[in-house]
Amino acid sequence: MTADTGSPRVGVLALQGDVREHLAAVAAAGATPISVRRREELDAVDGLIIPGGESTTMSRLLGVFDLYEPLRARLRDGMPAYGSCAGMIMLASEILDTRPDARHLDALDITVRRNAFGRQVESFETDLEVDGITDGHPMRAVFIRAPWVERAGERVEVLARVTEGPAEGRIVAVRQGDVLATSFHPEVTGDRRVHEYFVGMVAAKIE
Ligand code: GLN
């Protein structure tokens, strides 16, 4: 907790991707946003968001910035984390259709397929019910060269599946303990419910 505001400190991994949108969404959800690019910044946060972007680039930059091992250690210690799109890919335990040298963080027992909605279809939008988050008022979900979850382990809660179109039935939001992931980008729509939910997870952890 920050002494001055009493709100949880929620970091956004700021190596690459749509960092600014997540920082703004964290602030709107009532937490203190912190941009994380250095080890000391990682050490200072109560929870971390891994944004959308390009997972293979993010993987490389985690090495360049010496953050890969420290981040894995914090995740092993139970730091709450939320990954959207490329962030979901980074948190997964297995990735299909990636580069052989791409590293990932192994914090969720899921297999994801990159760019799963099809290479022709750059983006796709649909309304989704997300368990524990939307409560009968679906949210607009924006998918941009997004992954989907092909396998979810026993301890993984499936929070949302696509309900229309060629991707119908595909898993696009999951939670396992203190780790949350969505294939879509709630930071681009102005709907703050996913960020509020994650800030609630972080607040519960540090209480
Ligand atoms: N296709 C990207 C990747 O593989 C993810 C796209 C995104 O985050 N919008 O990392």
Side-chain angles (χ1 to χ4, degrees):
M1 295 278 241
T2 37
D4 47 342
T5 62
S7 64
R9 292 166 302 192
V10 174
V12 178
L13 187 65
L15 304 178
Q16 191 261 339
D18 63 341
V19 176
R20 258 187 310 165
E21 291 82 352
H22 278 287
L23 290 168
V26 166
T32 302
I34 296 179
S35 172
V36 172
R37 200 171 291 151
R38 294 180 305 132
R39 173 76 188 262
E40 306 82 77
E41 291 158 347
L42 177 64
D43 290 343
V45 299
D46 301 311
L48 185 72
I49 294 177
I50 305 180
E54 178 52 52
S55 55
T56 53
T57 308
M58 230 181 274
S59 152
R60 189 172 57 76
L61 291 175
L62 276 176
V64 172
F65 283 77
D66 277 331
L67 279 176
Y68 179 71
E69 287 302 338
L71 179 47
R72 275 179 70 105
R74 285 228 53 197
L75 290 166
R76 270 197 304 271
D77 287 349
M79 174 184 68
Y82 164 47
S84 78
C85 203
M88 170 191 261
I89 298 170
M90 294 306 299
L91 289 168
S93 53
E94 189 184 9
I95 308 172
L96 305 175
D97 288 347
T98 193
R99 292 164 51 117
D101 60 345
R103 291 195 284 187
H104 52 95
L105 296 161
D106 221 354
L108 279 172
D109 182 17
I110 58 174
T111 302
V112 296
R113 184 175 295 281
R114 286 179 69 220
N115 302 323
F117 289 82
R119 288 177 195 285
Q120 316 310 323
V121 189
E122 285 285 298
S123 69
F124 162 69
E125 289 189 26
T126 190
D127 289 327
L128 281 186
E129 282 284 2
V130 187
D131 261 18
I133 299 184
T134 54
D135 200 21
H137 303 279
M139 65 169 27
R140 193 74 183 154
V142 178
F143 298 83
I144 305 165
R145 293 188 304 110
W148 65 43
V149 177
E150 291 215 352
R151 181 196 61 85
E154 261 169 33
R155 288 164 304 145
V156 175
E157 280 174 78
V158 172
L159 303 184
R161 290 177 190 267
V162 175
T163 56
E164 59 170 7
E168 187 174 346
R170 292 296 182 177
I171 299 169
V172 291
V174 293
R175 176 173 176 178
Q176 181 179 347
D178 290 309
V179 183
L180 175 72
T182 63
S183 304
F184 53 94
H185 290 269
E187 72 283 6
V188 303
T189 57
D191 186 329
R192 298 299 176 222
R193 288 179 288 173
V194 173
H195 289 81
E196 284 163 6
Y197 179 84
F198 180 61
V199 167
M201 284 168 59
V202 178
K205 188 79 182 184
I206 61 180
E207 246 165 32

